[in-house]
Amino acid sequence: MPELPEAETIVRTLAPHIEGRRLEAMEIRSARAAPEPLPDLAGRTVERVRRYGKQVVWDLDGGLLRFELRMTGLLLWRVEPGPYTRVRLRFCGAAVCFDDIRQFGSLRWSAGELPRLGPDALEIEAADLARRLAGRRARIKPLLTDQRFLRGLGNIYADEILHRARVHPMTPAHRLGGARARRLHAAMREVLTEAIALGGSSISDYVDADGRPGRFQERHRVYGREGAPCPACGARIRRIVVGGRGTWLCPRCQRLPRGVSGRV
DNA sequence: TGGAATGTTCGGCT
DNA sequence: AAGCCGAACATTCC
């Protein structure tokens, strides 16, 4: 679930509980969740909780604890572990549970480095985005969700952003031109900002660190809405597959440029 | 019952 | 090199 707005919401709800507090113990309940060796973190202080793309990072004294939530990872401020709790990080009288149904997520330790990813989707400037798009021939949607190109976007927000920008997901990036690149940048800022304000999208079981669902799914205009009318023009939303992922779009608002072949 | 699901990585092909 | 595709990971849901 967690893309940029959900990771941001988790950070905002988790930080007040644990920043400045001392970690008492860490219980790895599923080896898959910690694929690389971790040092003993007991006694270290959580100096800061922050977001890196769609990942959640805890700055501890002496290193970084990085949570990759992937499809179903959650960080819950809750003492008792549940059936899907893969790691429990205990504080005095309290705990954070790293829950993950599908077990694609993981937790990693580093002395200070973060993986090299593209610029943050909320921080990049319009001109920078336009410049980066101009150099790529790949289709825009898979490019937007490529974390090495831009960090933070996943399947839901890529579809919502492309719809608001009126850009077809199969448009080659370098064919966007200045006007649509600026529209894409503006749409990205708007969608992400609104989604954060509403606590992210809860489409199956995403909740923030306090167990609250988000509400942005009520504002989705295309994602998961095959057959429903486009809120902008009334045409029926369609579902296609792009880059192996389900992709929802309005065939009337989002046209391919002339000369670009692709199934609408 | 088969297919799809919010993510990422890898190998192979063009 | 860049880009694309399918498979794999594990589980649930419809």
Side-chain angles (χ1 to χ4, degrees):
Chain A
M1 206 150 295
E3 302 181 29
L4 185 153
E6 291 76 29
E8 180 66 27
T9 303
I10 289 172
V11 163
R12 290 183 186 188
T13 50
L14 193 57
H17 294 302
I18 65 171
E19 275 183 352
R21 295 191 66 172
R22 209 171 64 94
L23 201 50
E24 272 193 346
M26 181 170 59
E27 305 162 9
I28 312 283
R29 315 175 104 238
S30 165
R32 198 180 300 279
E36 295 162 11
L38 294 165
D40 183 13
L41 301 177
R44 303 213 197 207
T45 299
V46 180
E47 291 166 351
R48 199 155 77 93
V49 177
R50 62 188 160 116
R51 179 180 66 75
Y52 181 65
K54 32 178 124 159
Q55 306 182 16
V56 175
V57 178
W58 294 8
D59 290 71
L60 304 187
D61 46 312
L64 304 178
L65 198 51
R66 182 164 57 87
F67 298 84
E68 256 190 78
L69 304 172
R70 300 275 184 116
M71 297 285 258
T72 54
L74 299 171
L75 289 174
L76 302 168
W77 179 245
R78 191 190 59 199
V79 177
E80 289 306 313
Y84 305 117
T85 300
R86 310 302 180 188
V87 179
R88 185 164 69 142
L89 302 117
R90 291 205 287 112
F91 296 84
C92 180
V96 172
C97 290
F98 173 33
D99 280 28
D100 187 12
I101 291 179
R102 282 170 73 177
Q103 301 194 75
F104 291 170
S106 62
L107 172 151
R108 291 182 154 84
W109 171 260
S110 79
E113 326 79 51
L114 290 171
R116 264 192 295 280
L117 302 176
D120 191 272
L122 257 186
E123 290 172 4
I124 192 170
E125 300 294 338
D128 190 18
L129 179 66
R131 198 177 324 118
R132 297 169 67 87
L133 291 171
R136 302 292 294 262
R137 310 184 80 82
R139 299 165 304 175
I140 186 67
K141 176 175 173 182
L143 193 57
L144 288 179
T145 58
D146 179 347
Q147 303 300 296
R148 291 161 304 182
F149 178 78
L150 189 67
R151 81 178 109 102
L153 301 186
N155 210 33
I156 295 177
Y157 293 100
D159 281 3
E160 291 298 318
I161 289 164
L162 287 169
H163 176 261
R164 275 210 213 187
R166 307 196 303 282
V167 171
H168 192 288
M170 295 176 82
T171 310
H174 73 286
R175 294 287 303 274
L176 282 177
R180 278 187 300 178
R182 272 192 299 279
R183 233 155 61 203
L184 184 65
H185 181 264
M188 186 160 75
R189 285 271 172 100
E190 282 172 24
V191 167
L192 295 175
T193 305
E194 286 173 32
I196 290 168
L198 291 175
S201 303
S202 291
I203 70 153
S204 66
D205 42 21
Y206 162 77
V207 287
D208 68 21
D210 294 318
R212 291 194 188 84
R215 302 186 315 279
F216 191 70
Q217 68 281 0
E218 297 159 19
R219 305 278 255 270
H220 288 175
R221 298 183 186 180
V222 288
Y223 182 85
R225 302 187 65 243
E226 185 176 18
C230 167
C233 79
R236 283 189 186 285
I237 303 299
R238 299 179 66 169
R239 179 188 185 275
I240 61 175
V241 174
V242 182
R245 309 301 304 275
T247 297
W248 288 266
L249 74 158
C250 170
R252 192 184 293 167
C253 294
Q254 297 167 267
R255 309 260 191 180
L256 276 173
R258 274 198 307 280
V260 177
S261 63
R263 190 158 293 110
V264 180

